Amino acid sequence: ADTALLTREYLSVYKKELQDGIEETKKILLLHIDSDKEVTTLIFERIKPAVVKFLGEHQEYALYLAADGVKRDAVYNEYLEQFAQYSPHVLKYDDPWVLCKQIERANIVITTKLHVGIVASSLGTSVISFPNIPNKIPTLAASDAMISCS
């Protein structure tokens, strides 16, 4: 809990310019992507259909693809192809604080990573978490730090 409070306080005074072209007129659905083959398969098979359905019903949202630790352009390009019909914005990872600020600015974060869900939740951003390591979710729930979606 202390880490979450410190993160939130730091981001509230974080001064780095964000040169990402976020459309202020649209809400942001941030899909946290991964380069791991199994996680990518999970995202494309299980998460993508729900994202596509949601974006089809909610034109007020823009799709943003973000990652932590993805360095290869080929990974970003694979996701861009999968979601091409929604002209997603790619937020390439280069600074953890910029990623945290992007998560804070999003209206919804969809992730398979527990740490991303915890950061988003601590920043007050709605989270939809798809576990890729099932034994971590009961631990999170037991700690009263439930990831929520509102």
Side-chain angles (χ1 to χ4, degrees):
D2 291 340
T3 303
L5 292 172
L6 287 172
T7 300
R8 187 178 198 140
E9 185 174 325
Y10 180 78
L11 286 174
S12 71
V13 297
Y14 191 61
K15 301 294 185 201
K16 183 168 182 171
E17 279 293 315
L18 298 175
Q19 304 288 330
D20 59 18
I22 286 186
E23 302 169 40
E24 297 296 333
T25 60
K26 292 219 173 200
K27 294 181 179 181
I28 299 169
L29 186 157
L30 189 145
L31 176 60
H32 180 254
I33 65 173
D34 199 291
S35 60
D36 179 83
K37 193 73 169 159
E38 288 181 32
V39 176
T40 298
T41 300
L42 168 72
I43 290 170
F44 291 159
E45 291 180 0
R46 300 220 174 161
I47 299 171
K48 179 187 172 189
V51 169
V52 167
K53 181 178 182 197
F54 179 85
L55 291 172
E57 295 172 359
H58 298 276
Q59 285 80 37
E60 71 271 22
Y61 279 86
L63 177 61
Y64 284 74
L65 305 174
D68 59 329
V70 172
K71 302 290 185 192
R72 297 183 336 241
D73 284 341
V75 174
Y76 291 105
N77 291 337
E78 184 178 11
Y79 281 90
L80 279 169
E81 287 176 23
Q82 288 287 325
F83 292 98
Q85 72 191 85
Y86 297 103
S87 304
H89 300 270
V90 175
L91 307 170
K92 291 191 177 181
Y93 179 78
D94 65 348
D95 180 335
W97 293 110
V98 171
L99 177 62
C100 288
K101 196 67 176 172
Q102 301 297 2
I103 290 170
E104 181 182 46
R105 292 171 71 189
N107 299 90
I108 302 170
V109 171
I110 299 175
T111 185
T112 62
K113 300 295 184 176
L114 182 60
H115 65 282
V116 174
I118 290 170
V119 168
S121 186
S122 71
L123 294 172
T125 302
S126 294
V127 179
I128 301 172
S129 180
F130 289 82
N132 64 20
I133 304 174
N135 64 343
K136 286 191 179 180
I137 298 304
T139 303
L140 178 65
S143 72
D144 290 331
M146 276 304 266
I147 294 176
S148 65
C149 174
S150 52

